[in-house]
Amino acid sequence: MKLNKVLFITSFIPVIVFKVVARVGDATLIQAKIAMVIGVILAGIQFILSRQLIKHTTYLEKAFLGFLGVGTAWIYLTPTDVSSLFVDHSTTLLYFVLFLTTLIPQAFGYDPFTYAIAKQMAPERVWNTPQFRTINLHLTYFWSLIFFANFFSSWLGHGKPLFSILIPLIIILGIGLPVVRIYPKYYLKRQFISQPIDLSFFPDTAKELIFRMPMGFRPEAAGDLKAEIQFDLSGEGGGKVALSISGGKCTVREGVPLFPALTIISPADIWLKITRREIDPARALMDGLYEVKGDMNLLMKMGDLFRPPLRIKEEDLTQKGEKKMKILAIQGSPRPKVSNTEVLLQQFLQGAQSQGAETEMIYLKEKDIHSCVGCYTCWAKTPGVCVFKDDMPELLEKVKGCDILVYATPLYNYNMTSLLKAFQERLLPLLDPHLIKMGEIYRHPQRYKMNRKMVLISTCGFPEVSHFDALRHIFRHIERSGQTPLVGELLMPGGELLKQYGMKENVQGVLQAAYRAGIEVTKEGRVSKETEMEIQKPLVPPDALAEMANLWWDSHLEGVTQGKPVQGKIEDMRLLLRGMAASFNSQAAEDLKTAIQFEVKGKQSGNWFLSIENGKCAFQEGKINDPNLTIQTPSEVWLAIANKELDGQQAFMEGKYTATGDISLLMRMKSFFGSAV
Ligand SMILES: Cc1cc2nc3c(=O)[nH]c(=O)nc-3n(C[C@H](O)[C@H](O)[C@H](O)COP(=O)(O)O)c2cc1C
């Protein structure tokens, strides 16, 4: 048995011992006095033990100690006729004290009576749930009634054992304890039955469900909420998916955000059942079926923030008569789980879904697709049918049936990835072998009647959009020879910025444009030039991007050369300061001209400074004359701040580092350097 349960049971011993010792034999005043002393000592020991062993005490312990303490004073310090009053009515008084204990704490803003006991029994993660609070408040008032009934019985029965012990015991054991056991389940069940849900349109997997959540997002409920919610769903149909809420919008992507406000760790099937209302979420949390880290209030708000999938589907269906646009997305990145291109693709698909389009994702990485061997069997011997019986025949059927075929690929050697190339080669069965002149050039006509259009989505590593020239050219050829209009090009240079935490704000425009592209394709049949340009626009100057990328590689190379595993943490003060200079936000600095000197002690001591002028920030070794601000810090402290292990302002207040000169500059540093300070 757990220690807290043992201590809960032993908390009754002092009053029981007091009653027994006071009543056995002649029940004289002397005997009552001895009983009182024993009782108060035992209650004191119990109180200290609870404090020491489990760091907190229950109201019962406090009530018993108070009752026995006051009783001792009463019995010893008052004349015999007054002290015998306490002896005669001690049980009645005890019930009254307990009755008051159930009423007073919450009136002064303290936890209600049953809270402390329930906290000992229930896991900490549920303490802040509204259900936990409400249940405890209800139970506390229920105990008020029980203790009042006992007080009344004992008072009317003039302390006779039948009325002061037997009947109260029957009430406590026969009514009190069973209600305490049954009521929480009853309450939670009732709450959850009140929201029935039609499962006919429900997604089949938890991951699919999360991807649909932005469709049911309610900006009016979110207000100016800015948070990321991480789902870590294990087992079949699961995965790591992140929802990002900002500026009244919600987006979803596969992967793990750096600083989620809330993390939900659950087996995929449990989360699916919870959302289908087959399992009560609060009960499941209390039973440990899933785990939550971070902001519990955000968890509680999720019901308001997102409509259930049923409503979304209903809305889709209201576009009666309109045939739904079918979008098939082919993802050619060999690392789809952490893909930059995927981030744009998901935004695009969500935009399309918001207009009622039906979307399907194919991850080529997960498919078995043999390269084309050029046997032409699909043209000559078995027209339209390939010799390979891998995953491609099924995909060909999907391609035939879609309205928009989205090609998503990172730029590899100025081109698409080999995965996507293999897929495209295997589209050969869809073409007729004859060479037919159409316009200026000859081409192979489509074998099957089709009305398909294409969208190209790509990210690349380099900062200039010109790196996409060859890829664009290829798709223009495909467009002409395949009679498949290319209705959108979503090309983002510097694609790695999509995953940089410090760039979170800067990439919002690109994400919104990708979302808008999905809407435009579905509503207007093509992506507007403005939207395409918004995605192509460099987010940071090419030099800054190169500097950031080089720093990243340096830090990872250093990890390798020193034989250390790379932790994803910044562990080098010099690199950190160089990184700060590279990620400098010139807009926030306006026309500031200043110099910040770092005098670093501790594990990695040294002198470095950052000079800011003409909207640029330069990192330099050594000391500068007359810096505007000098920061003296142990390297461990500043690195901990950059790694979000320490709060910068708090560390300053606590004197973990010092700053002299223009302190207002220190306060503004966050706006220039983002997450690095
Ligand atoms: C084998 C390989 C070749 C690459 N070739 C180029 C290239 O020619 N130009 C470029 O700008 N980036 C190139 N990159 C970088 C990727 O295009 C870039 O990191 C992209 O955002 C990755 O997308 P993903 O995360 O969706 O896979 C290459 C990366 C790899 C692994």
Side-chain angles (χ1 to χ4, degrees):
M1 208 190 307
K2 279 200 187 141
L3 193 57
N4 50 19
K5 288 196 178 150
V6 174
L7 284 167
F8 175 67
I9 293 168
T10 56
S11 63
F12 293 92
I13 292 177
V15 274
I16 294 172
V17 169
F18 158 70
K19 283 291 345 163
V20 172
V21 176
R23 282 198 154 267
V24 285
D26 301 336
T28 59
L29 187 58
I30 297 292
Q31 200 180 333
K33 282 186 171 179
I34 295 168
M36 209 69 240
V37 173
I38 297 174
V40 84
I41 290 173
L42 286 178
I45 294 172
Q46 167 78 26
F47 195 83
I48 293 165
L49 278 180
S50 288
R51 269 267 148 109
Q52 295 293 323
L53 299 177
I54 55 169
K55 306 282 176 255
H56 67 131
T57 53
T58 62
Y59 285 126
L60 270 183
E61 286 167 327
K62 290 184 188 110
F64 290 154
L65 183 62
F67 165 75
L68 292 165
V70 171
T72 308
W74 184 336
I75 212 165
Y76 277 91
L77 302 178
T78 56
T80 316
D81 49 339
V82 181
S83 60
S84 60
L85 266 179
F86 179 82
V87 179
D88 294 344
H89 299 287
S90 62
T91 317
T92 312
L93 283 171
L94 177 61
Y95 291 130
F96 192 67
V97 168
L98 289 173
F99 170 64
L100 291 181
T101 315
T102 59
L103 290 182
I104 292 174
Q106 59 270 32
F108 290 93
Y110 292 102
D111 287 346
F113 175 69
T114 59
Y115 222 83
I117 300 165
K119 272 184 174 175
Q120 290 186 4
M121 311 296 168
E124 194 172 342
R125 57 182 174 271
V126 301
W127 293 355
N128 282 333
T129 60
Q131 286 92 342
F132 186 80
R133 299 193 83 86
T134 313
I135 290 170
N136 272 290
L137 211 58
H138 289 180
L139 285 177
T140 293
Y141 290 124
F142 166 73
W143 279 105
S144 307
L145 285 178
I146 295 252
F147 290 135
F148 189 75
N150 290 353
F151 160 73
F152 209 59
S153 159
S154 185
W155 185 49
L156 285 183
H158 300 290
K160 288 196 189 95
L162 170 67
F163 295 97
S164 63
I165 295 178
L166 200 63
I167 293 179
L169 261 185
I170 291 173
I171 295 177
I172 290 174
L173 298 180
I175 305 174
L177 294 187
V179 168
V180 167
R181 291 193 79 83
I182 295 165
Y183 185 72
K185 283 185 196 149
Y186 165 78
Y187 175 85
L188 292 171
K189 206 167 173 183
R190 239 188 36 164
Q191 259 213 337
F192 127 81
I193 287 173
S194 65
Q195 303 166 331
I197 194 162
D198 181 346
L199 298 180
S200 46
F201 297 121
F202 221 81
D204 293 331
T205 66
K207 189 169 159 190
E208 210 184 314
L209 178 93
I210 311 294
F211 270 101
R212 281 215 205 161
M213 284 176 74
M215 295 163 66
F217 180 65
R218 297 175 60 232
E220 67 277 14
D224 57 359
L225 176 70
K226 200 160 171 249
E228 293 205 288
I229 304 173
Q230 166 75 49
F231 287 89
D232 191 345
L233 305 171
S234 53
E236 207 174 318
K240 290 189 194 321
V241 186
L243 287 176
S244 183
I245 301 170
S246 170
K249 285 221 163 98
C250 175
T251 56
V252 64
R253 68 192 150 89
E254 212 152 339
V256 184
L258 279 181
F259 303 108
L262 172 71
T263 304
I264 296 168
I265 305 161
S266 170
D269 57 336
I270 294 287
W271 192 254
L272 198 60
K273 284 183 179 157
I274 285 174
T275 338
R276 283 176 173 173
R277 310 263 158 76
E278 288 167 18
I279 302 182
D280 165 43
R283 182 84 234 154
L285 184 63
M286 290 190 202
D287 290 348
L289 293 184
Y290 68 102
E291 222 186 291
V292 174
K293 287 186 197 155
D295 185 354
M296 282 302 285
N297 290 328
L298 185 55
L299 179 76
M300 295 305 139
K301 224 183 152 201
M302 277 175 69
D304 294 335
L305 289 175
F306 299 96
R307 279 169 289 163
L310 171 69
R311 290 280 308 280
I312 298 156
K313 204 71 187 185
E314 268 175 358
E315 280 159 17
D316 288 355
L317 292 176
T318 53
Q319 304 171 346
K320 275 203 186 106
E322 261 179 47
K323 183 181 158 287
K324 278 198 195 168
M325 179 180 272
K326 277 193 187 167
I327 300 182
L328 180 68
I330 308 292
Q331 164 56 298
S333 172
R335 45 174 210 175
K337 296 240 150 58
V338 291
S339 159
N340 303 323
T341 318
E342 176 80 4
V343 178
L344 288 192
L345 174 60
Q346 286 304 334
Q347 291 295 322
F348 174 83
L349 294 180
Q350 281 161 35
Q353 286 163 357
S354 72
Q355 302 306 308
E358 206 173 79
T359 63
E360 184 173 358
M361 279 291 311
I362 304 293
Y363 292 100
L364 293 180
K365 179 76 196 320
E366 293 164 6
K367 298 291 173 194
D368 173 25
I369 299 176
H370 201 289
S371 350
C372 176
V373 291
C375 64
Y376 292 114
T377 306
C378 63
W379 277 4
K381 288 192 191 145
T382 53
V385 180
C386 179
V387 285
F388 291 118
K389 302 292 168 248
D390 50 12
D391 287 335
M392 203 57 204
E394 191 191 331
L395 294 182
L396 284 180
E397 290 311 307
K398 290 184 191 289
V399 172
K400 279 195 233 167
C402 76
D403 301 304
I404 303 279
L405 184 58
V406 181
Y407 288 110
T409 176
L411 192 72
Y412 273 20
N413 300 26
Y414 304 101
N415 205 326
M416 66 190 83
T417 60
S418 53
L419 281 173
L420 188 58
K421 182 78 172 26
F423 171 85
Q424 284 198 336
E425 287 170 11
R426 291 285 304 280
L427 292 178
L428 202 67
L430 299 183
L431 297 178
D432 181 283
H434 299 95
L435 276 68
I436 307 290
K437 190 159 189 185
M438 297 184 191
E440 293 296 301
I441 53 167
Y442 281 95
R443 50 190 156 189
H444 299 298
Q446 292 286 338
R447 181 184 298 280
Y448 307 99
K449 193 171 171 298
M450 64 110 195
N451 214 357
R452 204 168 46 241
K453 293 173 184 162
M454 282 186 304
V455 170
L456 167 65
I457 300 182
S458 185
T459 62
C460 79
F462 285 115
E464 300 91 357
V465 73
S466 60
H467 288 265
F468 290 111
D469 286 353
L471 183 73
R472 276 175 145 169
H473 219 71
I474 291 168
F475 272 82
R476 300 269 158 83
H477 274 299
I478 297 174
E479 178 181 34
R480 271 189 292 157
S481 62
Q483 308 113 63
T484 333
L486 181 62
V487 293
E489 285 179 342
L490 278 58
L491 306 173
M492 184 195 175
E496 295 298 338
L497 296 175
L498 285 169
K499 292 206 297 265
Q500 297 266 327
Y501 185 76
M503 296 298 294
K504 240 174 84 183
E505 297 300 316
N506 311 43
V507 299
Q508 287 307 317
V510 172
L511 299 182
Q512 281 161 14
Y515 187 89
R516 200 164 58 242
I519 296 177
E520 287 172 354
V521 160
T522 317
K523 277 174 74 176
E524 280 131 39
R526 70 170 315 119
V527 182
S528 68
K529 282 287 158 246
E530 297 75 55
T531 302
E532 289 184 350
M533 294 313 287
E534 181 80 26
I535 296 169
Q536 292 175 17
K537 208 167 61 189
L539 288 182
V540 292
D543 292 350
L545 186 134
E547 175 86 343
M548 281 161 84
N550 291 340
L551 277 172
W552 191 88
W553 286 114
D554 281 352
S555 66
H556 283 63
L557 278 171
E558 289 192 13
V560 174
T561 48
Q562 290 164 16
K564 284 188 225 143
V566 175
Q567 302 285 330
K569 265 175 69 168
I570 311 164
E571 288 174 350
D572 185 304
M573 192 64 201
R574 204 171 151 275
L575 283 176
L576 168 64
L577 294 175
R578 275 181 65 184
M580 281 167 63
S583 61
F584 177 66
N585 180 346
S586 54
Q587 279 175 355
E590 293 168 348
D591 52 0
L592 184 73
K593 181 171 184 290
T594 195
I596 306 171
Q597 176 71 52
F598 283 82
E599 293 178 4
V600 181
K601 298 270 176 308
K603 277 194 187 150
Q604 198 194 356
S605 58
N607 291 310
W608 298 283
F609 65 92
L610 298 173
S611 53
I612 299 171
E613 195 171 357
N614 296 331
K616 288 200 170 134
C617 178
F619 161 83
Q620 286 177 64
E621 308 273 346
K623 284 199 168 188
I624 185 172
N625 287 337
D626 296 328
N628 302 69
L629 175 70
T630 303
I631 293 172
Q632 291 174 315
T633 177
S635 57
E636 303 85 285
V637 168
W638 202 262
L639 287 168
I641 293 170
N643 287 319
K644 297 277 173 288
E645 292 158 4
L646 258 187
D647 177 78
Q649 272 190 8
Q650 202 177 333
F652 178 60
M653 298 297 180
E654 289 170 1
K656 292 198 164 109
Y657 70 90
T658 57
T660 46
D662 183 0
I663 300 295
S664 69
L665 193 57
L666 181 72
M667 300 304 153
R668 286 179 67 195
M669 276 173 72
K670 203 166 193 67
S671 63
F672 313 148
F673 301 114
S675 60
V677 289

